Amino acid sequence: MLVAAAVLGFAAVGPMGVAGPAHAGALGSTAIGTFTYEVRGAAVKVPVGCFLTHRIDGSGKRVSGQLAGVDCVGAAATFSRFCNWRIDFAYADTNGRAYRTARGATHAECDGAPLRRAGARTLPAYGKACAKLFVNGRLRATQCHYITK
């Protein structure tokens, strides 16, 4: 129930959905596994309870906006900090060949709820659009939506 509340809270940030043939509507989350990383000589642990949530809105190959961020529940909501983080939006065709990555800015500050928005774009091919969370230079989670005819 806590996860559902976190996802619904993320959904309330703004209207979005997945690019589909005539309508859109996708919101997905993937669990971020627990991990430890080092910042300025200190170990930082991210416990179980955090999720990468990705929303995409549009119609067909026209994406009108995307939103991706980290939601944490329970103790993770209190104790999780993400330092040196960035969120990329990556695109691949139906054969899985990546054709574009919109790299996000790396945020040196530590944040409990990383968030990135992206504006409109028209994709050259059907396939998938993914949000990728990097922390301290390492890929920690990926969440994708398939965009088909």
Side-chain angles (χ1 to χ4, degrees):
M1 190 159 115
L2 289 174
V3 173
V7 170
L8 290 175
F10 188 88
V13 172
M16 308 281 283
V18 106
H23 61 282
L27 167 70
S29 292
T30 190
I32 301 171
T34 185
F35 64 95
T36 303
Y37 63 102
E38 191 172 299
V39 177
R40 294 183 287 281
V44 177
K45 182 174 182 170
V46 175
V48 171
C50 292
F51 302 85
L52 174 62
T53 301
H54 176 213
R55 239 180 126 139
I56 185 169
D57 193 25
S59 179
K61 293 185 275 184
R62 178 76 180 143
V63 174
S64 57
Q66 290 185 81
L67 180 68
V70 175
D71 295 306
C72 296
V73 296
T78 303
F79 298 109
S80 294
R81 303 298 286 167
F82 297 87
C83 306
N84 301 317
W85 64 270
R86 79 171 198 266
I87 296 173
D88 294 350
F89 291 114
Y91 307 91
D93 64 21
T94 55
N95 294 316
R97 286 187 297 264
Y99 60 82
R100 184 170 200 282
T101 297
R103 186 178 169 129
T106 298
H107 298 265
E109 73 279 0
C110 297
D111 194 342
L115 181 66
R116 179 174 178 209
R117 294 178 192 272
R121 75 170 18 110
T122 299
L123 304 177
Y126 289 104
K128 65 181 178 177
C130 302
K132 296 182 174 191
L133 172 68
F134 291 83
V135 178
N136 223 22
R138 291 198 49 207
L139 179 63
R140 297 299 179 171
T142 301
Q143 203 291 322
C144 299
H145 293 291
Y146 290 90
I147 301 171
T148 58
K149 293 181 190 181

